[in-house]
């Protein structure tokens, strides 16, 4: 019978911590007191970073889910820990998507519409559109 490489779980935990740090950095950079910082360009700055973040989060979710599906845990607390990491990763992804949608909505309301270049830029985002 094959054994699970326990180092993989540590890598997943570390990837989650790195993702959480990246989330905190993005929010700190682009939001002041949880409000959009208009000193940045939404489309070329925040939009691409948010999309990249969501791609990383989706990838990590898939890795964790794969390990949870492939591993028979003898200790329920370990399984619960990784289930919790999966849920926290999903929350970070949804929270980033929420911030993205909120600012995009503000931009659309302030100008009344999104122009063709802005719409094409949004079409270039690979992951955030699928959430």
């Amino acid at each position: 019978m094959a054994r699970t490489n326990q180092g993989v779980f540590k890598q997943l935990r570390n990837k989650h911590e790195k993702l959480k740090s990246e989330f905190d950095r993005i929010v700190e950079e682009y939001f002041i007191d949880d409000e959009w910082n208009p000193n940045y360009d939404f489309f070329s700055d925040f939009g691409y970073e948010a999309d990249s973040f969501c791609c990383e989060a989706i990838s990590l979710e898939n890795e964790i889910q794969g390990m949870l599906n492939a591993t028979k845990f003898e200790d329920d607390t370990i399984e619960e820990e990784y289930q919790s990491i999966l849920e926290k990763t999903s929350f970070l992804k949804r929270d980033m998507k929420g911030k993205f949608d909120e600012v995009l909505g503000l931009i659309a309301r302030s100008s009344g519409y999104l122009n063709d270049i802005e719409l094409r830029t949004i079409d270039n985002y690979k992951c955030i559109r699928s959430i």
Side-chain angles (χ1 to χ4, degrees):
M1 168 92 39
R3 292 181 45 192
T4 302
N5 178 353
Q6 295 302 310
V8 171
F9 287 109
K10 183 177 180 182
Q11 289 173 349
L12 294 174
R13 190 180 311 116
N14 291 342
K15 284 182 180 182
H16 172 74
E17 290 302 319
K18 183 180 173 190
L19 190 72
K20 172 71 171 109
S21 293
E22 181 67 5
F23 177 87
D24 292 342
R25 183 199 63 77
I26 291 170
V27 170
E28 185 177 305
E29 182 173 348
Y30 293 105
F31 295 86
I32 299 171
D33 296 327
D34 211 31
E35 296 291 323
W36 170 247
N37 182 349
N39 293 325
Y40 290 98
D41 181 69
F42 172 81
F43 296 98
S44 62
D45 294 330
F46 175 70
Y48 280 106
E49 283 205 56
D51 184 59
S52 177
F53 176 88
C54 288
C55 289
E56 290 178 37
I58 289 168
S59 176
L60 181 56
E61 284 176 321
N62 291 337
E63 285 184 68
I64 295 169
Q65 191 62 58
M67 286 302 293
L68 287 169
N69 290 341
T71 305
K72 183 177 191 291
F73 293 91
E74 294 176 8
D75 183 349
D76 288 342
T77 59
I78 295 172
E79 182 177 11
E80 290 168 3
E81 176 187 356
Y82 286 94
Q83 192 65 43
S84 174
I85 291 171
L86 177 62
E87 290 168 6
K88 290 174 186 175
T89 300
S90 296
F91 175 79
L92 290 173
K93 178 188 73 179
R94 287 190 310 271
D95 198 19
M96 184 63 71
K97 170 69 168 157
K99 290 184 179 310
F100 177 90
D101 289 344
E102 178 183 336
V103 177
L104 184 61
L106 289 171
I107 292 168
R109 283 191 300 277
S110 70
S111 66
Y113 68 96
L114 297 174
N115 66 40
D116 288 342
I117 294 171
E118 293 167 338
L119 291 171
R120 278 191 305 241
T121 301
I122 291 171
D123 284 343
N124 287 329
Y125 301 146
K126 297 184 302 187
C127 298
I128 205 159
R129 293 181 306 130
S130 67
I131 299 170

